[in-house]
Amino acid sequence: MTEITNLSSDVTELILSYLPIPTLVRASTVCKLWQSIISSTTFSATQTQSQSQSHPWFFLYGIHNTSSKNNQSFAFDPLSNRWLRLPTPTFPPHHYSHSCFLGADGFFLITAPNFTYSRILKRSWRSTSPLHFSRINPLLGVFDSGSLLPNFIVVGGVRFIGNLVDIEDRLAVEIYTPDSDSWQLGPPLPADFRSGNSSQSLSSALFKGRFYVFGIYSCFISSFDLHTNAWSQVQTLRPPGVVFSFLVGCRDRLVLAGICNGPLGSSFNLWRIEEATMEFSEIAIMPHDLLCSLFEGDEEDKFASLKCVGLGNLIYVFNEEYHKKYPACVCEISSETRQCSWRRVPPLPSPVNKFHQVISFCSTVSLNSILQPEEEEGHVGPMQPMVD
């Protein structure tokens, strides 16, 4: 029998490439050779990027209104099928409202009174130049334009002025360019979204150079072209029987996910959306026992606490109420067969506190973002690796 220490570095690298990221982090401490392989930029880019893009992590950040000591942060890695308890983020030294705090692919962000952001597995906050319109509860997307730093698009929300809000103001779209540290203004959300222009009543998805905005209850949909800075015509996207739904940008398709009332009762359905025509076709229904496991009792409004996020090949569905410790399930859409498979997500690691607000999102995670130190230039506040 050949011992692993006698294998070539190429074979060792191939074996390591099959391990999930939490295991790789631990394996990097075994010996100098493994540490050298795992921490190399090439290994991170070529071996773990495919894992990250198709199997994004699910992040859940719980906020307690009266005691920040009760805030908790968790991340679920679908490949190892386990939750990781993350250190609670340390916020910048200025005041912020919980309505200003959100998460998007790869980042925690605060939108008012100043716009600041931090990579999810770091504790390094960076400030940008001020938004033209400081706001709370906006929709936000993160995209790459070739710069070392991220680009952001901020849509809708409620204007925040001196700790007061203006619910009537239709706020302009703002796009952040990191190279010039500036915010470019674009046209506001179409007037059809006036009755609900915040993240509480809207969902969004970045897909093929467009930022889609969808009304969770109204079912209005429109997209903002990142190249032409223009909104598409508002349309209605409502499959028969839909009560409420969420728009998700997956790896190669737009997916609508939501509660649907049918002849046999309520179900949670997935539909594929053709972005050119907005036509929809059903691709999956959550098994009934799995849907029931997310709730207790038979209250009429029990589905109101159901939330959905997704990215890559995964769609996560969870209950943001405390009574069952925020139960969740996940649907994986196969890249090869296009078949959908559902499974329960393990319970959160105890103890789990009771939260007044839950921030949830999906994000790709790379080895490089965990193992490599972040540049300190422009950071605000303490700078520590955010890995338990």
Side-chain angles (χ1 to χ4, degrees), residues 12 17 62 72-73 79 93 133 151 159 161 172 183 191 207 215 232 258 268 272 289 319 329-330 339 352-353 364:
T12 302
S17 70
Q72 289 180 300
S73 187
L79 289 179
F133 303 101
N151 294 69
R159 191 167 185 182
I161 309 173
W183 292 92
F207 188 71
S232 67
F268 191 90
R272 177 172 184 170
D289 63 333
N319 186 342
C329 63
V330 60
Q339 295 297 309
V352 179
N353 298 331
T364 55

Side-chain angles (χ1 to χ4, degrees), residues 4 28 42 45 47 79 89 114 216 246 321 326 357 379 388:
I4 194 168
S28 68
T42 303
Q47 302 298 337
L79 289 179
N114 303 314
I216 295 172
F246 304 88
E321 291 292 332
Y326 313 102
Q357 181 182 352
H379 85 277
D388 232 353

Side-chain angles (χ1 to χ4, degrees), residues 114-330:
N114 303 314
F115 192 97
T116 56
Y117 65 94
S118 170
R119 297 189 184 276
I120 50 177
L121 297 177
K122 303 291 183 180
R123 290 186 182 179
S124 169
W125 289 93
R126 295 175 183 267
S127 295
T128 72
S129 59
L131 286 163
H132 293 273
F133 303 101
S134 184
R135 60 189 87 190
I136 63 175
N137 286 330
L139 299 171
L140 194 144
V142 183
F143 62 99
D144 182 15
S145 64
S147 173
L148 293 177
L149 297 175
N151 294 69
F152 302 114
I153 176 170
V154 180
V155 177
V158 179
R159 191 167 185 182
F160 186 85
I161 309 173
N163 292 327
L164 300 175
V165 297
D166 180 358
I167 62 175
E168 297 297 327
D169 197 348
R170 286 175 58 217
L171 298 177
V173 170
E174 300 197 45
I175 300 175
Y176 179 67
T177 303
D179 291 340
S180 59
D181 187 29
S182 61
W183 292 92
Q184 175 188 352
L185 290 174
L189 269 171
D192 306 66
F193 295 98
R194 180 185 292 274
S195 60
N197 62 357
S198 76
S199 58
Q200 295 176 328
S201 56
L202 301 174
S203 69
S204 61
L206 262 174
F207 188 71
K208 294 184 178 180
R210 289 180 173 271
F211 187 78
Y212 288 83
V213 175
F214 177 77
I216 295 172
Y217 298 96
S218 70
C219 295
F220 291 149
I221 187 169
S222 180
S223 63
F224 184 83
D225 191 313
L226 294 174
H227 302 292
T228 64
N229 285 3
W231 287 99
S232 67
Q233 180 181 355
V234 177
Q235 297 175 262
T236 301
L237 180 60
R238 190 192 298 272
V242 163
V243 180
F244 63 88
S245 50
F246 304 88
L247 191 67
V248 178
C250 291
R251 195 171 188 178
D252 61 352
R253 67 185 69 187
L254 279 175
V255 173
L256 192 67
I259 287 291
C260 185
N261 285 336
L264 301 179
S266 298
S267 60
F268 191 90
N269 299 25
L270 303 182
W271 297 269
R272 177 172 184 170
I273 308 302
E274 295 294 339
E275 64 269 19
T277 62
M278 288 294 114
E279 295 180 352
F280 54 84
S281 56
E282 186 178 275
I283 58 174
I285 300 177
M286 184 190 298
H288 185 68
D289 63 333
L290 194 56
L291 180 61
C292 291
S293 72
L294 300 179
F295 302 93
E296 286 181 353
D298 246 348
E299 299 85 0
E300 289 186 5
D301 62 345
K302 66 178 181 179
F303 295 122
S305 57
L306 204 64
K307 301 297 179 184
C308 178
V309 295
L311 196 67
N313 292 348
L314 301 181
I315 295 176
Y316 294 92
V317 185
F318 72 102
N319 186 342
E320 66 173 6
E321 291 292 332
Y322 173 73
H323 67 283
K324 292 193 73 176
K325 302 292 193 298
Y326 313 102
C329 63
V330 60

Side-chain angles (χ1 to χ4, degrees), residues 7-34:
L7 297 177
S8 69
S9 59
D10 290 343
V11 175
T12 302
E13 181 174 330
L14 178 62
I15 294 171
L16 292 172
S17 70
Y18 288 100
L19 299 178
I21 287 178
T23 305
L24 284 170
V25 173
R26 293 193 298 272
S28 68
T29 64
V30 169
C31 64
K32 290 183 178 180
L33 174 62
W34 289 16

